[in-house]
Amino acid sequence: MEFTSKDLGNARTVLKIRGLKVGLVGRPGAAPVLDGIDLDIRAGETHCLVGESGSGKSVTSLCAMGLLPRGALETTGGSIDLEGIEITTARPARMRELRARRIAMIFQEPMTALNPVLRVGEQIEEVLNMHTDLSQSEARSRTIDMMEQVHLPDVQRIYSAFPHQLSGGQRQRIMIAMALILDPDLLIADEPTTALDVTTQLQILKLIAEMQHRHGTAVLFITHDMGVVAEIADTVSVMQSGRIVERAPIRDLLTNPQETYTRKLLQAVPNLAPRAARGAAAAPDVITVKALDMTYGGGGFFRKAAGVKAAQDVSFAIAPGRTLGIVGESGSGKSTVARCILRLIDPTAGQVTVAGTEIAHLSRRQLQPHRKHFQIVFQDPYRSLNPRWTVARSLCEGPVNFGTPREAAMSHAAELMALVDLPRDALDRYPHQFSGGQRQRIAIARAVAMKPDLLVADEAVSALDVSVQAQVLDLLDDIQEKFGVAMLFITHDLRVAAQICDEVLVMQKGRVVEQGPAAAVLSDPAHTYTRTLIEAAPGRLWDFANFRALDHAPARQGATA
């Protein structure tokens, strides 16, 4: 993706925030959530708001939308001027008029933001029905036109589809269509590409830029990924602990960051340079997969139907202390392979041998004693940890079920907390009392508690900000070095794969299209699809650690005053 610099010197200011303060309701002595935020966004400008989780980025956007949660947060000072309209004092009815018409928002998780029981076309039309006097046929025609503008395929079919029937990228396009259908002056995009694979992310970023160029919309883009910032931003504001600590045009920020915190964020961005090669282990492979197939569906009462081949003829092996990364777009079959290996689903054909035992065709009862040999770390630790259990109970459950005395399991749990760099007293807390990165550390500790031979990490860092992501990758590396565990690392981000994987296996539409050492696959890819994935990696043309553009990077200057 290549952008040209914009001359925004004469552009009108769409949003002006001055001295914005937000505090906790009923706790006047508590530290402010936002502490004196100043922000200007001009028509046609993409202003990126970056920072770690908890820095105040999303709270700033919710203030601008008038959506602060009642009873939890309140504006305690400052102003938000939307072209002459003061948001902080606007009544609820006035804010309902402004939303979608003057200011709109794309949320991070479209499956949560969309109504699961309404067809997506109806949900876009609902915006028109609330804010315009268009007839039903006119509203439908406008909706279809907008769906075509965001490049949805087969719009007549998708118009009548429910959210669960669409891919993640298609759902995000629906959210963009809904946000832009009334041509608002300001679009707020809150982490809209975080959970998307790199090629879909690139499509969404291009789409937002295209719609901005077409409509002249001002965009406030919230993200923790400096690679994305390098691709799309005109200007950048860096947030830390509720304050903006640095603001600059994009190229100035990337090449000459002034604040230590900004430099830290930039240096945490993973790059495509593969990790140093580790020597091959002399011990037998921990896992061997041969000709694994998985077909969903097929068959019927009266006729045979073709099933969906989610994985076809997948073969690989992982030695102790080594990491194999499976990369590819959403729907490529990565997670299906992992679920087959873990026997969360039963493969259609093939062999899976873990710690010397072929497990692909064991019954559930036969499989039970072998489950301790392989454990998984899921993408979302909040959903995978029982919210009603303390950390201690979560860590002890597996070992106790396999015969470890409870006292010994508790002692081991305390050791695991030290291993993942969390205090021992955290054992008595519940998942909601931790940050996302801390919860992922707990999930890793739970997996390691079983002393497995194989650890499967399924998008284990994709939802984390880059600095926490780097910490979790270092933790996984330390665990491998300490225990010699083999790891299957599933990711859509080749930058992450480069940091932790010894070998890389690339999947497309259920098939392995390329496989080999990480250095060879990522530095000199043989398959066109692998090259496409690499070219879609955000920020690949920048050396963030040394604050410089690579020789073939575009000379994007950002906005000019």
Side-chain angles (χ1 to χ4, degrees):
M1 186 183 348
E2 184 174 342
F3 295 88
T4 58
S5 62
K6 301 174 185 175
D7 183 2
L8 300 172
N10 296 320
R12 73 185 193 282
T13 300
V14 173
L15 184 72
K16 181 185 293 183
I17 300 177
R18 290 291 181 270
L20 180 64
K21 294 186 177 183
V22 171
L24 299 172
V25 173
R27 296 179 60 184
V33 178
L34 296 183
D35 190 10
I37 299 298
D38 292 337
L39 195 65
D40 289 332
I41 306 176
R42 294 166 287 182
E45 177 183 14
T46 299
H47 191 113
C48 283
L49 196 58
V50 302
E52 295 174 293
S53 298
S55 61
K57 306 185 301 296
S58 292
V59 173
T60 302
S61 70
L62 292 175
C63 285
M65 291 291 293
L67 292 175
L68 280 181
R70 292 185 179 180
L73 299 175
E74 61 181 352
T75 303
T76 58
S79 66
I80 304 174
D81 185 317
L82 179 68
E83 295 192 297
I85 303 169
E86 180 53 49
I87 299 295
T88 60
T89 57
R91 294 181 177 274
R94 178 58 169 155
M95 287 306 305
R96 284 194 293 271
E97 293 176 5
L98 295 175
R99 294 187 196 114
R101 185 179 292 277
R102 300 292 300 277
I103 181 171
M105 189 166 183
I106 305 169
F107 294 94
Q108 177 175 347
E109 179 45 66
M111 193 63 185
T112 302
L114 293 170
N115 190 324
V117 299
L118 288 181
R119 301 178 191 277
V120 295
E122 296 172 354
Q123 296 188 56
I124 299 174
E125 280 184 19
E126 185 179 22
V127 179
L128 296 173
N129 294 335
M130 290 183 64
H131 295 278
T132 72
D133 296 324
L134 295 177
S135 66
Q136 186 172 350
S137 61
E138 290 172 330
R140 179 186 173 93
S141 177
R142 178 81 173 270
T143 298
I144 293 293
D145 177 64
M146 194 68 203
M147 291 173 70
E148 289 175 344
Q149 287 188 46
V150 297
H151 306 303
L152 281 164
D154 193 6
V155 293
Q156 295 293 341
R157 176 187 64 81
I158 290 182
Y159 176 92
S160 301
F162 291 96
H164 73 273
Q165 296 174 309
L166 305 180
S167 69
Q170 289 173 334
R171 286 194 291 265
Q172 200 60 283
R173 289 170 188 269
I174 293 294
M175 290 295 298
I176 294 172
M178 192 181 302
L180 294 179
I181 196 164
L182 289 178
D183 196 13
D185 300 306
L186 175 66
L187 174 65
I188 300 175
D190 188 2
E191 302 275 13
T193 63
T194 295
L196 302 178
D197 60 62
V198 288
T199 51
T200 304
Q201 176 179 257
L202 178 61
Q203 294 167 8
I204 295 300
L205 294 178
K206 282 184 174 179
L207 175 60
I208 292 174
E210 176 189 329
M211 301 302 289
Q212 179 187 38
H213 178 74
R214 185 179 299 171
H215 298 277
T217 311
V219 175
L220 175 60
F221 197 100
I222 296 168
T223 182
H224 62 251
D225 191 337
M226 296 299 290
V228 171
V229 172
E231 299 284 359
I232 67 169
D234 296 305
T235 49
V236 185
S237 290
V238 181
M239 288 195 71
Q240 181 186 25
S241 303
R243 296 181 177 181
I244 293 178
V245 297
E246 186 165 359
R247 181 185 295 107
I250 179 60
R251 193 171 183 88
D252 292 348
L253 188 99
L254 294 181
T255 58
N256 188 29
Q258 299 299 304
E259 294 291 324
T260 301
Y261 180 70
T262 307
R263 298 168 75 89
K264 172 190 166 187
L265 288 181
L266 289 170
Q267 290 172 333
V269 178
N271 57 56
L272 284 167
R275 65 171 299 159
R278 291 187 284 189
D285 292 331
V286 170
I287 178 173
T288 303
V289 178
K290 294 182 179 179
L292 181 71
D293 281 9
M294 182 62 209
T295 302
Y296 290 107
F301 285 110
F302 302 108
R303 63 185 179 85
K304 290 185 178 181
V308 177
K309 294 185 179 297
Q312 303 178 62
D313 196 27
V314 177
S315 300
F316 59 83
I318 311 177
R322 305 276 289 180
T323 299
L324 171 72
I326 303 183
V327 302
E329 297 171 293
S330 298
S332 62
K334 308 185 301 294
S335 293
T336 294
V337 170
R339 291 187 176 99
C340 286
I341 290 170
L342 295 165
R343 285 298 304 278
L344 299 178
I345 55 176
D346 298 329
T348 307
Q351 295 181 339
V352 178
T353 303
V354 178
T357 302
E358 206 289 313
I359 65 167
H361 305 292
L362 295 180
S363 68
R364 297 294 173 182
R365 177 171 294 182
Q366 293 170 326
L367 182 65
Q368 187 62 31
H370 299 285
R371 284 200 177 276
K372 64 182 179 181
H373 294 296
F374 45 90
Q375 294 293 304
I376 186 169
V377 180
F378 292 99
Q379 177 176 349
D380 186 348
Y382 195 72
R383 292 171 62 186
S384 62
L385 294 171
N386 190 324
R388 297 185 178 184
W389 286 8
T390 62
V391 171
R393 186 174 177 183
S394 289
L395 296 187
C396 292
E397 179 198 20
V400 169
N401 286 346
F402 277 86
T404 302
R406 183 166 295 277
E407 288 186 6
M410 278 295 297
S411 177
H412 186 47
E415 295 172 1
L416 289 171
M417 295 303 281
L419 175 69
V420 299
D421 199 24
L422 289 174
R424 180 171 182 156
D425 61 10
L427 287 169
D428 298 323
R429 301 181 205 166
Y430 292 86
H432 72 273
Q433 295 174 296
F434 298 90
S435 69
Q438 289 172 327
R439 282 195 293 264
Q440 196 62 291
R441 288 172 179 270
I442 293 167
I444 292 170
R446 183 181 64 175
V448 174
M450 296 300 297
K451 301 178 182 177
D453 299 291
L454 173 69
L455 186 63
V456 178
D458 189 1
E459 299 283 8
V461 298
S462 65
L464 304 177
D465 59 58
V466 287
S467 55
V468 177
Q469 185 181 88
Q471 295 167 12
V472 172
L473 291 177
D474 287 341
L475 172 60
L476 290 171
D477 208 33
D478 290 343
I479 287 172
Q480 271 196 297
E481 185 175 343
K482 188 169 294 186
F483 299 109
V485 63
M487 185 157 60
L488 179 64
F489 194 91
I490 295 168
T491 181
H492 61 252
D493 192 336
L494 271 71
R495 301 172 302 171
V496 171
Q499 305 309 301
I500 196 168
C501 297
D502 299 292
E503 290 87 28
V504 171
L505 182 151
V506 183
M507 291 191 69
Q508 181 186 29
K509 297 179 180 178
R511 291 186 176 276
V512 178
V513 298
E514 188 162 358
Q515 186 173 355
V521 173
L522 298 177
S523 301
D524 188 21
H527 197 277
T528 303
Y529 178 69
T530 309
R531 290 195 291 272
T532 299
L533 291 179
I534 291 173
E535 289 168 1
R540 69 184 183 88
L541 300 178
W542 284 88
D543 179 359
F544 293 101
N546 295 302
F547 316 120
R548 66 184 184 89
L550 299 177
D551 292 340
H552 49 301
R556 174 168 168 72
Q557 300 295 329
T560 55

